[in-house]
Amino acid sequence: MSDTPFGFGLPPEEPDDGDEGKKKDQQSGGGQGPANPFGFGPGAGGMGGGADNPFAAMFGSLNPTDLGAAFQQLGQMLSYEGGPVNWDMAKQIARQTVSQGTADGTKDASVGPSERTAVQEAVRLADLWLDDATSLPSGAGTAVAWSRAEWVEATLPAWQELVDPVAERVGTAMGDVLPEEMQAMAGPLIGMMRSMGGAMFGTQIGQAVGVLAGEVVGSTDIGLPLGPAGKAALLPVNIETFGKDLGVPKEEVRLYLALREAAHQRLFAHVPWLRSHLFGAVDGYARGIKVDTAKLEDVVGQFDPQNPEQLQDALQQGMFQPEDTPEQKAALARLETALALVEGWVDAVVHAAAKPRLSSADALRETLRRRRASGGPAEQTFATLIGLELRPRRLRDASRLWASLTDARGVDGRDALWAHPDMLPTATDLDDPDGFVHREQIDFSELDKMLGEAAGGSDGKPNLKKDDGSEGESKGDDTE
């Protein structure tokens, strides 16, 4: 993650192939030079910029003819009046970060026809294999191959839904830290601070999304549905990097990752409450985060419009403290458990589908588990920004529980638990998976009988058949 405060610059022109975007930015000298307020002064040939300069990367190597345009861009930033995050800026920064390539030198590239075909075929085959491993039908209406830039474009709406609640709290806190009698007089200052806050969040989110675009292999890597519903997506350039040193054939790597993407799509498509449940858990956790107003008051009291990096530094150091209350602990537990259950189910289902067919299934499974457990620099940045790590801490426990449920209740019995959030295992159940698996299931027969009689049923017997005619509840039979 770049240490450059604000870190934004003039967006590079992105060519059709998507991988030469940073040439012009490099030629412009953006981000290179000494540290001074606006990037021009002694020691830089008159117009340089430095890593400690919040405006240097934005203005690049200025000359007198560029000065008007530079100040116009600064004015646009300060006049921003949208929501708590300047998402236009976030998008610009993310695309710029993508165009610069990853730390290993891998650059983005447009996806060619052969790669698109390979992804579509992999997802199609993955769906066939998953039919034997889960009772949930296919959830991928289409399969697409994305470049990193396309991933950014497609996932920003989901990031907005995740980040805005916390950013809103910060924006409100910026106005609240001033004494009430001063707020009326300081209206313009508060407005400017909120504009700067939106720019700060936009910059940091943009950088994090841009870095994450260089790491992810699909649209569901972090356990949340970031892309459009019903669209299974893989990133060929990142799959190539992911499988580079694994010693596994490229086709097997692609197919295994397609299995994971397709499994996520089935879950989110056919468990209609799940998406809102996960995003609601994030929002619930965010509502319990308090801003360190003492730190914010110090920053506001010393605020210098010519040194907005003060606010940036405070944001990077973390101004958010989860409240140590039973409600906040419960919100965190709900979120961590939900993420673990999603990832654990995907892990168990994919392993069941891949194990008999791919010799590399065990190795790929362990690689993905470690990758999700460790996280990357982008995920760490989100943890700083929103006070939350989007990682399934109990992935292995959840995977073992789902596998045990499959053995005890069969595929249909296992997947039936997704019918309602109250039926899912809890954090306590992850501590005692055997207890949950073998717990006597609730008998609804009397309730069903009463409902049937109330509905005018001839014999009062409940109908326990699914639409396909199968038993509505499995008692341990493996229907595979």
Side-chain angles (χ1 to χ4, degrees), residues 242-260:
F242 172 79
K244 187 176 180 181
D245 299 320
L246 296 181
V248 177
K250 178 180 178 180
E251 293 74 15
E252 289 195 19
V253 174
R254 184 195 298 117
L255 184 51
Y256 192 87
L257 297 176
L259 282 165
R260 289 183 53 82

Side-chain angles (χ1 to χ4, degrees), residues 395-415:
L395 166 60
R396 294 177 188 271
D397 293 337
S399 181
R400 282 194 292 269
L401 186 147
W402 288 118
S404 297
L405 281 168
T406 307
D407 295 338
R409 304 186 187 181
V411 169
D412 286 352
R414 177 201 65 198
D415 293 346

Side-chain angles (χ1 to χ4, degrees), residues 261-287:
E261 178 73 9
H264 277 104
Q265 293 295 333
R266 288 184 181 226
L267 194 58
F268 290 120
H270 298 291
V271 182
W273 54 265
L274 183 56
R275 186 185 189 280
S276 60
H277 179 76
L278 287 169
F279 279 71
V282 174
D283 183 63
Y285 181 80
R287 286 197 302 270

Side-chain angles (χ1 to χ4, degrees), residues 177-257:
V177 294
L178 291 176
E180 192 170 327
E181 60 274 12
M182 291 181 60
Q183 290 187 17
M185 296 184 296
L189 175 61
I190 293 175
M192 184 173 67
M193 289 174 60
R194 286 180 174 169
S195 295
M196 295 298 294
M200 288 190 305
F201 265 106
T203 299
Q204 289 296 297
I205 291 296
Q207 288 178 337
V209 169
V211 172
L212 196 58
E215 301 172 357
V216 295
V217 294
S219 70
T220 54
D221 280 31
I222 66 169
L224 297 172
L226 298 179
K231 185 174 289 187
L234 295 177
L235 282 72
V237 65
N238 290 353
I239 292 176
E240 182 81 24
T241 302
F242 172 79
K244 187 176 180 181
D245 299 320
L246 296 181
V248 177
K250 178 180 178 180
E251 293 74 15
E252 289 195 19
V253 174
R254 184 195 298 117
L255 184 51
Y256 192 87
L257 297 176

Side-chain angles (χ1 to χ4, degrees), residues 220-433:
T220 54
D221 280 31
I222 66 169
L224 297 172
L226 298 179
K231 185 174 289 187
L234 295 177
L235 282 72
V237 65
N238 290 353
I239 292 176
E240 182 81 24
T241 302
F242 172 79
K244 187 176 180 181
D245 299 320
L246 296 181
V248 177
K250 178 180 178 180
E251 293 74 15
E252 289 195 19
V253 174
R254 184 195 298 117
L255 184 51
Y256 192 87
L257 297 176
L259 282 165
R260 289 183 53 82
E261 178 73 9
H264 277 104
Q265 293 295 333
R266 288 184 181 226
L267 194 58
F268 290 120
H270 298 291
V271 182
W273 54 265
L274 183 56
R275 186 185 189 280
S276 60
H277 179 76
L278 287 169
F279 279 71
V282 174
D283 183 63
Y285 181 80
R287 286 197 302 270
I289 293 176
K290 62 181 180 181
V291 179
D292 188 342
T293 53
K295 181 182 293 186
L296 188 57
E297 285 175 0
D298 290 341
V299 174
V300 172
Q302 304 172 22
F303 179 69
D304 180 357
Q306 293 187 3
N307 292 285
E309 67 271 15
Q310 292 174 345
L311 290 176
Q312 180 78 358
D313 290 342
L315 184 65
Q316 289 177 323
Q317 293 170 8
M319 289 189 295
F320 315 123
Q321 299 174 347
E323 291 184 324
D324 189 18
T325 63
E327 293 78 13
Q328 182 68 349
K329 291 178 180 178
L332 179 60
R334 282 194 301 271
L335 178 58
E336 290 184 340
T337 301
L339 286 172
L341 290 175
V342 168
E343 291 294 278
W345 183 88
V346 169
D347 180 79
V349 167
V350 168
H351 185 68
K355 177 69 172 176
R357 300 175 174 97
L358 292 179
S359 59
S360 57
D362 288 333
L364 289 170
R365 183 191 202 188
E366 186 60 27
T367 299
L368 266 297
R369 281 180 166 185
R370 292 180 179 179
R371 189 173 189 257
R372 284 294 283 125
S374 62
E379 291 190 30
Q380 293 164 10
T381 297
F382 285 118
T384 301
L385 283 172
I386 66 175
L388 175 66
E389 293 181 347
L390 296 172
R391 283 187 280 158
R393 299 180 183 276
R394 308 194 65 181
L395 166 60
R396 294 177 188 271
D397 293 337
S399 181
R400 282 194 292 269
L401 186 147
W402 288 118
S404 297
L405 281 168
T406 307
D407 295 338
R409 304 186 187 181
V411 169
D412 286 352
R414 177 201 65 198
D415 293 346
L417 293 177
W418 290 106
H420 192 278
D422 290 344
M423 297 176 65
L424 289 177
T426 64
T428 303
D429 294 325
L430 293 180
D431 294 331
D432 181 23

